[in-house]
Amino acid sequence: MQGRFFMDGTKFITPVLERFIDDMSRGVDGFYFGHNDFRVPSEEDLMNGQNIRIIELNGFTSESTNIYDPKHSLWRAYKTLLKQYDLAFEIVQKSESSEIAPRS
């Protein structure tokens, strides 16, 4: 059995990593919101968008796993989830009003 620790990794976000995630996400039809679980050999590889294996792609109903980081409070978790739900509802509203064009 393997244990898991969910840590807040926002310090590793770089423009290169954001581009990698955006390009990968655009390759999944209908994917506009969610989170990914990665396996990466090193922090440097992650930040450079290299040697990344996608373990899971979690969609619209997934929660931000950084809320489980033990250094964050319960109130921060609630704030994160509420922000996530606001974004999800905004995407739905734009989708219903055709502001989000289908990907081809």
Side-chain angles (χ1 to χ4, degrees), residues 32-35 59-68 74-94:
Y32 297 100
F33 180 89
H35 80 262
F60 213 71
T61 59
S62 61
E63 74 271 353
S64 180
T65 55
N66 66 336
I67 66 172
Y68 301 111
L74 178 60
W75 292 113
R76 181 178 172 145
Y78 288 151
K79 183 178 176 181
T80 299
L81 289 173
L82 289 173
K83 184 177 177 182
Q84 177 180 321
Y85 299 150
D86 283 344
L87 180 58
F89 287 120
E90 182 180 334
I91 292 169
V92 169
Q93 288 175 332
K94 288 183 177 185

Side-chain angles (χ1 to χ4, degrees), residues 10-79:
T10 54
K11 67 182 179 183
F12 301 114
I13 297 173
T14 64
V16 174
L17 178 59
E18 285 180 335
R19 221 172 8 263
F20 169 83
I21 293 170
D22 192 46
D23 289 346
M24 182 273 310
S25 298
R26 289 179 186 275
V28 179
D29 187 39
F31 184 80
Y32 297 100
F33 180 89
H35 80 262
N36 308 289
D37 294 341
F38 298 136
R39 183 158 297 190
V40 186
S42 69
E43 294 170 358
E44 183 178 332
D45 281 341
L46 178 65
M47 294 168 71
N48 290 315
Q50 301 173 330
N51 302 313
I52 297 174
R53 285 186 26 210
I54 300 165
I55 306 299
E56 279 184 45
L57 177 65
N58 299 283
F60 213 71
T61 59
S62 61
E63 74 271 353
S64 180
T65 55
N66 66 336
I67 66 172
Y68 301 111
D69 188 321
K71 73 178 179 223
H72 297 317
S73 70
L74 178 60
W75 292 113
R76 181 178 172 145
Y78 288 151
K79 183 178 176 181

